Amino acid sequence: MPYLYYYTDWTWMILLPALVLSIWAQARVSGAYRKYSRVASSRGVTAEQAARMILDGGGAYDVNITQVAGTMTDHYNPASKQLALSQGVYGSTSVAALGIAAHEAGHALQDAQDYLPIRLHRVFARVAQFGSMASFPLILIGLLFTSPLLVKIGIIAYGAVVLYYLVTLPVEFNASRRAMAQLSDYGVVTQEEGRMVKSVLSAAAMTYVAAAASALLQLVRLLILTNRRRD
C-alpha cells in the first residue's frame, strides 16, 4: 500500500471540528471588531493613552508604545520592550481599540512581573519553531525508510508545537482578564462599555482555542497514521 495513503485517508476528518471552530472564531472576532470599532467610548480616552496608563500603573515605564501599519497587527515585543498598536487602534477611542490596547498592555505587565506562563511560552516558542519545520519531514522520511526512531522523533517534535499552543491559552486569557480589570479600575470604560470590551476579547480568545484544538487533533491524527503503519 502506498505510503501516501496514510496522509490522504479518512483520518483527515479528525481535523474537521478544529477547521469549523477556526472559521467560526475568525468570523466572530472580525464581526466583534467591526461592530465595536464603531462605538466610541464615553470617556474619550484613546487606545494609546489607555495603554500608557496601564503600563505606568503596573510599573512598566520602560515599555514604549509605537504605531504600526496594518489591521489587527497589534502586539507586544518583550525583546525591544515595545507595544505596537495598529493604525486603526493607536489613536482611536473606540471600545474595540481600548480592549485591544489593554490586552497588549496586559502582556507587557506579564513580562514586567515575570509571569510564569509567559516564561514557559517563550521557551516553547523556540522549541515549537523547530518542531513545526522538522516534524512532518521526519515522520515522512521515517515512514518511507521504515525508521521507527525518526517517526518517534517527528511525533515528539510536533508534540512541542502542541504544548506551545496549550501554554499560549493561559497567557492570552490572563492578558484579557488584566485588560478588563485595568480598564475598569482606571475608569476608562463604563460598565456597559466593559461588556462590549469583553465581547471583543472573548472572540479573540476563541482564535487561540481553535489553534490549540487544531494542533492537538493533528497530533492525534499523526499518532493514528503512524500506528497503522506499524500494524
Side-chain angles (χ1 to χ4, degrees):
M1 186 179 297
Y3 294 115
L4 185 60
Y5 169 80
Y6 298 99
Y7 292 90
T8 58
D9 68 351
W10 64 268
T11 60
W12 67 269
M13 296 178 65
I14 294 172
L15 304 178
L16 278 179
L19 177 61
V20 172
L21 180 60
S22 295
I23 294 172
W24 173 78
Q26 287 295 335
R28 185 182 172 197
V29 72
S30 296
Y33 179 77
R34 283 196 304 270
K35 179 179 180 179
Y36 293 115
S37 63
R38 294 193 291 265
V39 179
S41 63
S42 58
R43 306 291 163 79
V45 178
T46 68
E48 185 273 335
Q49 290 170 337
R52 185 74 271 164
M53 194 183 305
I54 292 168
L55 292 172
D56 291 347
Y61 304 105
D62 58 340
V63 175
N64 295 316
I65 303 175
T66 61
Q67 186 175 177
V68 293
T71 302
M72 300 184 77
T73 51
D74 314 85
H75 64 278
Y76 169 66
N77 187 333
S80 61
K81 299 291 183 182
Q82 284 198 337
L83 193 161
L85 298 178
S86 60
Q87 292 171 329
V89 169
Y90 187 90
S92 174
T93 62
S94 75
V95 171
L98 291 172
I100 292 169
H103 177 88
E104 297 306 330
H107 283 311
L109 293 188
Q110 289 173 339
D111 181 38
Q113 297 166 7
D114 206 21
Y115 180 58
L116 178 59
I118 205 167
R119 280 194 288 160
L120 294 175
H121 184 263
R122 287 173 192 159
V123 171
F124 280 113
R126 290 189 286 269
V127 179
Q129 187 175 14
F130 166 79
S132 63
M133 292 187 297
S135 56
F136 287 96
L138 284 170
I139 292 170
L140 182 59
I141 293 171
L143 290 174
L144 288 173
F145 293 95
T146 320
S147 173
L149 178 61
L150 283 180
V151 171
K152 185 176 291 186
I153 293 173
I155 293 291
I156 292 172
Y158 192 75
V161 177
V162 175
L163 285 175
Y164 167 75
Y165 281 112
L166 293 177
V167 171
T168 296
L169 296 180
V171 172
E172 295 299 331
F173 288 144
N174 178 264
S176 290
R177 282 195 296 270
R178 288 173 186 258
M180 289 298 305
Q182 290 152 355
L183 289 175
S184 176
D185 291 346
Y186 288 112
V188 176
V189 295
T190 64
Q191 187 174 8
E192 177 60 28
E193 290 166 353
R195 284 192 283 269
M196 297 177 189
V197 170
K198 186 176 181 180
S199 295
V200 175
L201 296 181
S202 296
M206 287 308 300
T207 62
Y208 294 102
V209 173
S214 179
L216 186 59
L217 291 178
Q218 183 67 268
L219 179 61
V220 171
R221 179 174 183 252
L222 290 174
L223 289 170
I224 292 173
L225 288 170
T226 54
N227 284 335
R228 288 181 64 192
R229 175 67 186 93
R230 285 195 290 271
D231 295 340

